[in-house]
Amino acid sequence: MEPFKFVRVQDAQTAINLHTAPNAKFVAGGTNLIDLMKLNIETPRQVVDINGLKLNTVEKLPNGTVRIGTLVKNSDLAYHPLISKNYPVLSEALLSGASAQLRNMASVGGNLLQRTRCPYFYNTEFPCNKRIPGSGCPAITGFNRNNAILGTSDHCIATHPSDMCVAMAALGAIINVHGTKGSRAIPFQDFHLLPGITPHLEHTLRADELITSVDLPAMPYAVKSHYLKVRDRASYEFALTSAAVILDIQNGRIQHAHVALGGVGTKPWRATLAEKVLIGALANEQTYRSAGEAALSLAKPYKDNAFKVELAKRTLVRALTTVGGMS
Ligand SMILES: Cc1cc2nc3c(=O)[nH]c(=O)nc-3n(C[C@H](O)[C@H](O)[C@H](O)COP(=O)(O)OP(=O)(O)OC[C@H]3O[C@@H](n4cnc5c(N)ncnc54)[C@H](O)[C@@H]3O)c2cc1C
Ligand code: SF4
């Protein structure tokens, strides 16, 4: 076996070149990767430390887009005035994640690529299609209280655990990447993959690509936005359900609606069916309830997580009410 290498780099091109080696991994905050390495779930032979790259700024571009460097820490992003004033939904999502210590370490790029918290994925005594393709999915018939009800397949029902990503899905963020073949911009909804028959493939980033930044579109009405997270305890806990909501209401009628759900989907879940109900409708309780029904209309609950269907509807109705009020 090749000796293990840990390489600290100062420029993106060197990082990308090193990452094309077989079994190489970037490390940013290390709060997910290092845990997975300790458990022998991830076993890279070369770890490329990207913390020396100059990718840690938050800036407003001339067209109003806010560009967030991949190495910006979750806590710095949450408290940055461009975010807390203009995109409270993202600020609240970040501050609802993990603990203060973890948020001080966790980076934007690492948060995008954090792996599921399905208990069978973490326990190497069990088979798991995500860890070992074709080995089986014990969660489908086993303990699945925290697993997904939207976007599942017969091969995997694991949730995507991020809070930040739910807000970014609602905001329609763009993920900027750079690789040996140049740069490209990936719309948020195209970045994470549904499990289908290949749950071990989780995103559309190529092995030679580094995430450099995330763009938030200019969205003046995002000042009226909110992230609501429901979980078993008040901190240091992943979502059972969550909702990110942005509403633009003029004269009591909803002009624009951006909605995403967390804790229920196999990827950060943009609730387009709910958005269709909301856009053009009066901002009232009946509309919010109809949006909740639409958002969960395709839900497929399992033995232990049927409660998530009603909980997710209520979470969404509460978040919509907080942002839109009642007319
Ligand atoms: C106890 C605990 C509780 C938590 N609770 C929550 C929670 O409630 N909500 C929540 O959202 N999260 C939670 N988290 C997860 C935490 O947010 C993530 O671990 C963190 O965001 C990962 O960021 P990182 O910089 O540490 O990533 P790392 O561990 O450094 O990397 C993670 C992955 O991203 C890749 N990567 C990193 N940067 C790049 C890049 N620029 N380009 C390409 N690939 C890259 C790495 O190769 C690796 O595969 C929790 C974590 C722990 C340990
Ligand atoms: S739900 Fe996915 S991650 Fe969990 S055991 Fe099944 S295949 Fe593995």
Side-chain angles (χ1 to χ4, degrees):
M1 196 192 284
E2 291 218 355
F4 176 81
K5 279 193 226 153
F6 184 92
V7 192
R8 198 172 285 254
V9 293
Q10 302 297 328
D11 73 282
Q13 207 51 55
T14 306
I16 291 162
N17 292 342
L18 288 169
H19 198 257
T20 54
N23 217 353
K25 275 281 185 186
F26 295 126
V27 69
T31 62
N32 193 213
L33 181 66
I34 303 300
D35 281 358
L36 292 167
M37 287 172 67
K38 285 183 198 159
L39 294 166
N40 270 327
I41 295 166
E42 300 245 19
T43 52
R45 300 308 302 158
Q46 176 157 280
V47 172
V48 183
D49 179 353
I50 57 174
N51 287 293
L53 307 183
K54 304 274 177 283
L55 296 171
N56 54 3
T57 54
V58 181
E59 55 179 335
K60 193 168 189 172
L61 305 184
N63 67 357
T65 295
V66 172
R67 177 158 292 172
I68 305 161
T70 187
L71 289 172
V72 175
K73 299 296 183 190
N74 285 189
S75 41
D76 291 339
L77 185 59
Y79 293 116
H80 195 287
L82 279 175
I83 303 302
S84 56
K85 278 193 197 145
N86 303 318
Y87 304 93
V89 64
L90 178 56
S91 203
E92 291 169 9
L94 286 158
L95 292 176
S96 76
S99 63
Q101 290 91 336
L102 280 158
R103 294 193 295 268
N104 286 341
M105 290 299 292
S107 68
V108 168
N111 195 316
L112 287 167
L113 289 173
Q114 66 172 292
R115 305 202 68 192
T116 185
R117 294 282 156 173
C118 174
Y120 299 102
F121 176 73
Y122 277 82
N123 189 337
T124 51
E125 305 273 304
F126 284 90
C128 167
N129 285 329
K130 202 180 259 307
R131 246 190 304 107
I132 307 168
S135 62
C137 174
I140 290 177
T141 50
F143 178 66
N144 46 40
R145 181 174 185 271
N146 290 329
N147 288 74
I149 53 174
L150 288 165
T152 57
S153 76
D154 292 343
H155 300 267
C156 182
I157 60 169
T159 52
H160 191 279
S162 168
D163 294 295
M164 180 196 84
C165 288
V166 181
M168 287 188 174
L171 287 163
I174 302 283
I175 299 169
N176 298 310
V177 307
H178 186 66
T180 51
K181 296 191 182 100
S183 301
R184 63 190 179 114
I186 309 173
F188 203 87
Q189 72 270 16
D190 299 336
F191 185 77
H192 297 99
L193 295 169
L194 292 172
I197 59 169
T198 52
H200 59 293
L201 303 178
E202 297 175 350
H203 53 77
T204 52
L205 197 66
R206 294 194 287 257
D208 69 330
E209 286 178 329
L210 172 80
I211 298 170
T212 52
S213 61
V214 175
D215 285 351
L216 303 182
M219 194 183 283
Y221 53 82
V223 292
K224 288 197 82 179
S225 62
H226 179 47
Y227 184 74
L228 177 62
K229 177 173 177 179
V230 178
R231 49 192 153 171
D232 281 330
R233 56 182 178 188
S235 118
Y236 213 49
E237 187 56 281
F238 292 89
L240 287 171
T241 60
S242 71
V245 166
I246 303 148
L247 292 179
D248 174 25
I249 302 171
Q250 310 284 339
N251 301 320
R253 204 168 276 282
I254 301 166
Q255 307 297 317
H256 297 96
H258 303 251
V259 178
L261 302 176
V264 289
T266 51
K267 60 186 257 184
W269 200 259
R270 182 84 184 250
T272 48
L273 296 176
E275 291 173 355
K276 279 189 186 137
V277 170
L278 292 165
I279 294 166
L282 289 171
N284 62 28
E285 188 178 355
Q286 196 187 330
T287 299
Y288 304 154
R289 287 195 186 284
S290 303
E293 293 298 328
L296 275 299
S297 58
L298 300 177
K300 182 179 175 196
Y302 293 83
K303 180 170 59 71
D304 304 315
N305 68 5
F307 74 96
K308 281 194 177 184
V309 179
E310 184 58 28
L311 188 62
K313 287 180 196 171
R314 292 184 189 194
T315 307
L316 178 53
V317 171
R318 172 83 71 90
L320 287 165
T321 309
T322 302
V323 180
M326 298 282 189
S327 62

